[in-house]
Amino acid sequence: MKARLLTIAGLASILMGSSAFAEPVSLTLWHMEQPPHRVQRMQELLDEFNKTHPDVQVKQEPQSWGEIYAKAPAAFAAGTGPDMLFAIPDFTTVIKGIDAVVPVDDLAKDMEAKHGFVPSTIAPYQYDGQTWAIPVYNMALSMWFRNSALKEAGVEVPKTWTEWKAVAEKLSTDGKYGVGLPANKQLYTDQTVYALMVNGGAADIYKEDGSISFDTPQTVASLQAYGDLQKLSPPDSTSWTWGEAEACFASASCGTILQFSVINTYETQAEADAADLGVAPVPHADDQSESGTISYSNAIMLTTKDEAKQAAAKVFIAWLLEPANYGRFLTMEPGLFLPVTNDGAKAESFWNDPIVTKYKSQVETMIANSQNGKLFGFTTGKVFPSIGAISGQNVIAESLQKMVVDGQSAAEAAKFGQARMSEIAGK
Amino acid sequence: MKRTLPQSVALYSGLLLVFLIIGMPFWWVVSGSVKLPREIIARVPTMFPQSFTTQHFEKLFQSTDFPAYLVNSIGVALFSTIVTVALALPAAYAFFRMRFPGRNALYRLILLAYAFPTIVVLIPIYGLFAKVGLIDTRTSLVIVNIAFALPFSIWMMRSFLSTVPKEIEEAAIIDGAPARVILLRIMAPLIAPGIASVAIFTFIASWTEYLFASVLIVSDARRTVPVGFAGIIGQYQIDWGLLLAGATAATIPVVILFAFVGRWFVSGLTEGAVK
């Protein structure tokens, strides 16, 4: 282990020490953190890195999640792709499918030894015997509510689906909605439905042999519970994405919602007290003992075949995960991006951020929730290529719509989902 | 002819309906852009602002690259429009007046450009532009915009040319005017509304083009409004005030174009008629 750390340190010293003799290694980083404040924070970090590592110059080129699935393959095919590329698990399968990503086992082992990854954050990138990306931040769905609303209604924070429905019914008064759950054929609905599936014992949508395992009694129960709660949601929730749910919550019109974070919107648009913002694990089925959730571990892939660039990129990623730098990276979106390393979760650079300090208890709960995160298609240790299409075509959300919009039963919706996923997997 | 009362009621009701359909979404966006965040996200919306703030516009123009996106979009849309009109006018005149083998077949064939969904040609165009070093240039967007606007523009322009009485053209020929002079001095002023229509069509198509702009442009500094703005707004957390301010600001150049180009060309048409 020490040898690997020495290797990284050696690479860094070689890159730093040879400045008088060689041109700096130029790296291009594509990420999908486009909002201006994130770009600005990233630039601050890059400026600092470039200054302290004169032999490596990293530049950022922000991209959009909306187009990256088409743009990145085209760029790699044309030879204009980046050297480092941000990823979520299913996107990694796409880039791996075109042979544009290189494994990072050595760096992953070094970072594991030095910082300790939250297991659920690196697991989705480890398959086919190798590690395909280094996680850098995590996002996990939690249940959000207002403490004052629950107190006024005389109810406790729900832990089970039955309790959640009872709370939602109590909160559904005076034109307000006890819950705000989407039923759009869109990724947000995939995420919220899967969050219930995880909590209903239906986390695995693949069997070991790659066949689909969606039509199970657990999935049917999860869809049924979701459908029951969805009836207490605003009528326009069938066309919601993340923003509408957040606005419904921030305006105090929705009593409970599932969201990665509402802190930013709550802070800037709700005009409410920080202490009143409540967050808890996603409630679980009555027959389950603990809560889980859906989590998206975001990572960096190495996408250059040039060995000097690979070495330089590893130096950059190792630098980024250093606790002194890592907290500032995470707080480019305070209260949304969660640490993937054990020492990152304790880093002063993270907890010293004003928003994180203000919402400390909520962020602590979010981090705790994220430890139990899972992602559909990445739960069995084997990854099947069809997950990209199943995710991209929002089949989980489409199945829910069969029930919520078309009036089918939960069993029929699960059957539809099974057939649709099997059709995609069979292609 | 004097309108009866029921006719007047029907007319004004129709006008009101059209105004509401067209004007309401616009009003919603513009009025929302000056509301405080709490009022914007209220579940029960307010038709008229109960609060007033310029904070969203200040943030848009001071804390984001929106001004740069605006400049890029104006440049790309203007160049696309000018070149498209400059190419469509002689091409349409050639299809309208000149005799050459395969004229009718070619005239129908140019609309094949619309037979393919743009997503299908996206990757080949990316590869082609990468080979000639046009990736991440605004020139690439101008080329694409022209390529997609030109066929329909030629069709539109030819239809306008066919409305000009043949006698006017014949008089010019008798006076010895060559084809270039007939086109630019005689026909162009007479079909000014057609040219305006093509210009507006191309400008708006270029102004709102998203797919190619999102893929062919890599660096932030060269992004156009639709793509850059989508990035500003983000995915999981939406700043509604910023979104509405950006949407309002994005419509201003188009409104100016309509006001300016429309008036200028109608004036040109009237002058032509007097002559």
Side-chain angles (χ1 to χ4, degrees):
Chain A
M1 203 60 68
K2 274 185 182 173
R4 284 201 192 89
L5 290 172
L6 284 171
T7 308
I8 295 283
L11 280 168
S13 61
I14 289 166
L15 287 163
M16 290 177 75
S18 59
S19 58
F21 308 103
E23 285 289 309
V25 178
S26 295
L27 298 174
T28 303
L29 168 67
W30 278 13
H31 63 74
M32 278 59 83
E33 310 307 336
Q34 275 192 305
H37 55 283
R38 298 186 198 173
V39 174
Q40 188 185 338
R41 176 62 63 87
M42 182 66 92
Q43 192 56 51
E44 288 167 12
L45 288 163
L46 293 181
D47 290 344
E48 199 175 314
F49 175 82
N50 291 341
K51 196 175 172 185
T52 53
H53 298 76
D55 274 8
V56 183
Q57 293 299 299
V58 185
K59 69 167 181 174
Q60 62 169 332
E61 286 177 348
Q63 308 299 326
S64 158
W65 273 120
E67 289 73 43
I68 197 66
Y69 282 73
K71 188 172 188 172
F76 288 122
T80 58
D83 306 305
M84 291 181 281
L85 176 57
F86 271 41
I88 54 175
D90 71 84
F91 182 50
T92 306
T93 66
V94 173
I95 301 303
K96 183 175 175 288
I98 57 170
D99 196 28
V101 60
V102 294
V104 285
D105 301 82
D106 51 348
L107 183 62
K109 281 176 187 163
D110 293 339
M111 296 299 100
E112 171 66 34
K114 196 170 184 188
H115 307 295
F117 284 113
V118 174
S120 63
T121 63
I122 194 161
Y125 297 103
Q126 293 181 313
Y127 45 90
D128 294 350
Q130 291 184 295
T131 304
W132 298 100
I134 301 293
V136 286
Y137 71 82
N138 200 11
M139 290 167 37
L141 278 189
S142 295
M143 184 178 67
W144 298 86
F145 52 89
R146 286 168 195 257
N147 292 311
S148 59
L150 265 59
K151 193 177 175 186
E152 200 177 305
V155 293
E156 297 291 320
V157 178
K159 290 193 172 81
T160 65
W161 292 346
T162 304
E163 289 173 7
W164 191 6
K165 193 180 171 200
V167 166
E169 283 168 347
K170 279 260 188 184
L171 293 175
S172 299
T173 54
D174 302 328
K176 293 182 177 176
Y177 300 91
V179 65
L181 285 176
N184 191 1
K185 193 191 165 193
Q186 200 259 353
L187 181 59
Y188 180 38
T189 307
D190 279 342
Q191 294 168 346
T192 51
V193 173
Y194 186 70
L196 261 72
M197 288 170 61
V198 169
N199 282 290
D204 300 334
I205 65 167
Y206 284 100
K207 292 178 187 165
E208 282 287 315
D209 62 359
S211 60
I212 299 295
S213 172
F214 187 75
D215 187 8
T216 65
Q218 291 83 3
T219 302
V220 173
S222 304
L223 289 172
Q224 186 61 56
Y226 194 103
D228 291 344
L229 286 162
Q230 216 282 328
K231 286 176 186 160
L232 300 167
S233 298
D236 59 330
S237 57
T238 49
S239 60
W240 275 6
T241 63
W242 301 271
E244 288 83 1
E246 218 180 18
C248 188
F249 179 77
S251 64
S253 303
C254 286
T256 55
I257 63 166
L258 298 184
Q259 187 69 272
F260 290 112
S261 173
V262 300
I263 290 175
N264 190 1
T265 305
Y266 187 83
E267 172 69 13
T268 57
Q269 300 181 49
E271 297 173 16
D273 180 14
D276 194 29
L277 181 61
V279 58
V282 179
H284 55 74
D286 295 19
D287 61 355
Q288 300 285 313
S289 57
E290 64 172 10
S291 284
T293 188
I294 180 172
S295 70
Y296 274 85
S297 166
N298 285 248
I300 301 179
M301 295 183 288
L302 261 60
T303 49
T304 172
K305 308 284 183 192
D306 184 315
E307 289 186 0
K309 286 192 171 195
Q310 287 176 15
K314 287 175 184 175
V315 171
F316 170 71
I317 295 170
W319 180 87
L320 196 66
L321 289 175
E322 283 296 325
N325 311 315
Y326 186 46
R328 286 178 295 141
F329 169 76
L330 293 173
T331 53
M332 73 165 75
E333 195 59 79
L336 177 63
F337 295 167
L338 304 174
V340 295
T341 60
N342 295 328
D343 60 2
K346 298 171 194 156
E348 279 184 24
S349 58
F350 178 69
W351 292 106
N352 284 346
D353 178 87
I355 293 292
V356 175
T357 304
K358 189 172 179 180
Y359 292 90
K360 188 168 185 244
S361 67
Q362 289 91 341
V363 174
E364 284 172 341
T365 305
M366 290 165 66
I367 292 173
N369 292 347
S370 71
Q371 313 277 319
N372 298 322
K374 292 182 176 176
L375 182 60
F376 50 94
F378 297 87
T379 55
T380 61
K382 285 185 179 175
V383 173
F384 303 100
S386 57
I387 188 58
I390 288 172
S391 175
Q393 293 177 37
N394 307 115
V395 180
I396 295 177
E398 190 180 6
S399 304
L400 178 83
Q401 279 206 325
K402 289 286 170 195
M403 189 174 74
V404 172
V405 179
D406 297 348
Q408 293 184 359
S409 68
E412 288 169 325
K415 194 176 177 184
F416 166 83
Q418 173 79 27
R420 189 84 187 86
M421 289 181 190
S422 299
E423 181 191 347
I424 292 170
K427 281 180 181 171
Chain B
M1 188 179 75
K2 199 177 176 184
R3 278 191 300 271
T4 61
L5 182 64
Q7 282 175 329
S8 294
V9 170
L11 177 68
Y12 286 111
S13 300
L15 281 173
L16 182 67
L17 184 68
V18 170
F19 174 76
L20 287 176
I21 290 171
I22 296 170
M24 277 303 290
F26 191 69
W27 169 248
W28 210 260
V29 170
V30 174
S31 65
S33 68
V34 295
K35 291 177 184 171
L36 285 170
R38 192 86 173 87
E39 190 182 346
I40 297 172
I41 62 172
R43 193 77 194 144
V44 180
T46 49
M47 179 65 75
F48 299 100
Q50 308 293 305
S51 56
F52 180 79
T53 180
T54 56
Q55 69 182 66
H56 309 305
F57 286 98
E58 286 166 20
K59 188 176 178 184
L60 182 72
F61 285 98
Q62 290 171 9
S63 308
T64 75
D65 287 331
F66 191 83
Y69 303 149
L70 212 52
V71 170
N72 290 337
S73 270
I74 290 171
V76 168
L78 274 180
F79 270 102
S80 303
T81 304
I82 291 166
V83 177
T84 300
V85 170
L87 293 176
L89 184 60
Y93 187 67
F95 279 120
F96 171 63
R97 185 58 65 210
M98 295 182 174
R99 299 275 178 265
F100 54 88
R103 183 182 73 155
N104 289 335
L106 193 60
Y107 181 58
R108 288 180 178 85
L109 208 63
I110 56 172
L111 282 189
L112 262 183
Y114 299 113
F116 305 99
T118 47
I119 190 76
V120 173
V121 294
L122 179 65
I123 304 300
I125 285 180
Y126 188 99
L128 187 68
F129 281 5
K131 276 184 185 167
V132 294
L134 280 175
I135 295 297
D136 203 24
T137 64
R138 281 156 289 204
T139 307
S140 65
L141 299 185
V142 172
I143 293 170
V144 167
N145 289 335
I146 293 168
F148 280 97
L150 195 56
F152 187 64
S153 299
I154 292 171
W155 268 69
M156 277 175 75
M157 209 83 96
R158 187 183 184 276
S159 302
F160 277 96
L161 285 168
S162 66
T163 63
V164 178
K166 200 176 179 185
E167 291 74 17
I168 294 178
E169 221 182 329
E170 285 171 349
I173 292 167
I174 291 166
D175 287 344
R180 181 179 58 82
V181 172
I182 292 172
L183 175 63
L184 295 179
R185 297 278 176 82
I186 311 292
M187 303 300 271
L190 289 171
I191 62 156
I195 295 173
S197 303
V198 167
I200 289 169
F201 162 74
T202 309
F203 189 92
I204 292 176
S206 307
W207 188 259
T208 55
E209 200 287 314
Y210 184 89
L211 186 64
F212 286 98
S214 68
V215 174
L216 298 178
I217 299 297
V218 175
S219 58
D220 209 31
R222 295 189 179 91
R223 292 213 161 94
T224 53
V225 166
V227 180
F229 189 52
I232 290 173
I233 295 309
Q235 187 177 23
Y236 294 117
Q237 299 178 320
I238 296 177
D239 185 335
W240 295 98
L242 190 65
L243 187 151
L244 294 170
T248 302
T251 59
I252 290 170
V254 181
V255 171
I256 290 173
L257 177 87
F258 269 100
F260 177 74
V261 174
R263 179 180 297 181
W264 187 72
F265 273 110
V266 169
S267 160
L269 176 70
T270 313
E271 282 173 19
V274 170
K275 284 172 187 173

